[in-house]
Amino acid sequence: MSVLLVGVSHRTAPVPVLERVAVTDTDRPKLIDKLLASSHISEAMIVSTCNRVEVYAVVDAFHGALTEVGEILADHSGLDLTALHAHAYVRYSEAAVEHLFAVASGLDSMVIGEQQILGQIRSAYASSDAQQAAGRVVHELAQQALRVGKRVHSETGIDSAGASVVSVALDRAAGIIGEGGLVGRTAVVVGAGSMGGLSVAHLTRAGIERIVVVNRTQERAEHLAETARSNGVDADVAFDQLSAAMAQADVMVTCTGAVGAVVTLADVHRALAEPDRDNTKHLVICDLGLPRDIDPAVAGLPGVTVLDMETLQRDPAAGAAASDADAARTIVAGELATYLAGQRLAEVTPTVTALRQRAADVVEAELMRLDSRLPGLDDPQRDEVARTVRRVVDKLLHAPTVRVKQLASAPGGDSYAAALRELFELSPGSPAAVATPTDLVDGDRTGRDLQA
């Protein structure tokens, strides 16, 4: 069984395509059910963030599983397969593992080094596990990816360029607002999820004076507002007064994950027309939702600037120092080698166990045969013969079993286990090898078409 990754991200697709493919928390369980119903997939996990959707599937055949995953994503997004192929990338086996480790480390993020991805991978695993879609392979893969990500952030300075997309967006907003930046200003945060929490944290550190939280769930909105108050910021909650809240705002951050716009052109028009609106204020809207939270027509309004994911992709701040990125890649490479060696060793262990069991069965059969031929042996004599035979067998097996474990930890080491199974008839009809998709997994790990 090998890991297949099919993904679409900010590196391979424009925002309109990402919006179509986006997987919400509501969508994810349904898609995982469809994946598990496929004939070639036994485990599955979907990592969905504001700028990527990646399906990790444990499969028994590459081409069959690739077709199944492609059809499920195409059906979900409403894109035909040709359009999906143009923007998707595929990784298989070791390349899929390497990619997830790089993602967890922040190396593949729009803002290099952002740490929010660790929580998103943890959430993806929890969702998969809740649906019993995470078996041994997905469990070990996800847990190791989280460990790699934590190690990269603790041992390198990769996150020094910015903690997340939120920080880049708010830095841009502060520059647009002008003198004093966000200090003493009023902000509206629409959405009280993880991105909303990050937004409040960044706004607080930037010296914002007042925050209004707008969210469909009152409890979460109140909790986020209380967090802001505990840090000395005046914070309120608004539900049906979005336009009134915007009328007082200098900056608004939206990050709801809703399907379709939650802030319409009419909402912003009403806000700008509010009697108590200071017409000298410039409203900066940071649309961090995917799909977009803001009606695209809002960007055409005078006195309003919209910073969306497409704009932020081009921001030069979305990068880390080359030395820190190189250090992170070195850690990923080392952790990848260790993980793969452990996986190969785990695969050969059942073969070694089967070989020793076969030897034990032969010993017991021969001792029974000895009993029938020499019924006069007393118990001490029989026990000594049994111990001698077992010692001989153990000594004969020791070197090859230790050596096959050592060899199995190296690339291509599974061939030695296969040889043992064949020589000792340990696993007749062993699984056929799955052809490596060399036409789809390129050497530099960059995005490739989904086409098989």
Side-chain angles (χ1 to χ4, degrees), residues 243-324:
S243 294
M246 275 193 288
Q248 304 301 317
D250 300 280
V251 61
M252 179 167 73
V253 181
T254 66
C255 40
T256 69
V259 177
V262 296
V263 180
T264 66
L265 181 62
D267 291 328
V268 183
H269 264 305
R270 282 194 293 271
L272 298 178
E274 287 280 341
D276 55 350
R277 170 75 182 176
D278 182 352
N279 291 326
T280 65
K281 277 189 176 185
H282 191 96
L283 176 61
V284 183
I285 301 175
C286 302
D287 184 357
L288 307 184
L290 192 66
R292 290 182 180 95
D293 287 326
I294 307 297
D295 184 336
V298 171
L301 293 175
V304 178
T305 298
V306 177
L307 301 175
D308 59 15
M309 299 300 292
E310 200 161 14
T311 303
L312 295 173
Q313 285 177 4
R314 300 189 293 268
D315 195 296
S323 59
D324 290 323

Side-chain angles (χ1 to χ4, degrees), residues 1-2 4 40-41 58-68 92 434-435:
M1 303 295 283
S2 298
L4 170 68
H40 297 291
I41 300 173
V58 179
V59 305
D60 61 7
F62 171 76
H63 290 289
L66 179 59
T67 299
E68 292 170 344
Y92 186 65
V434 180

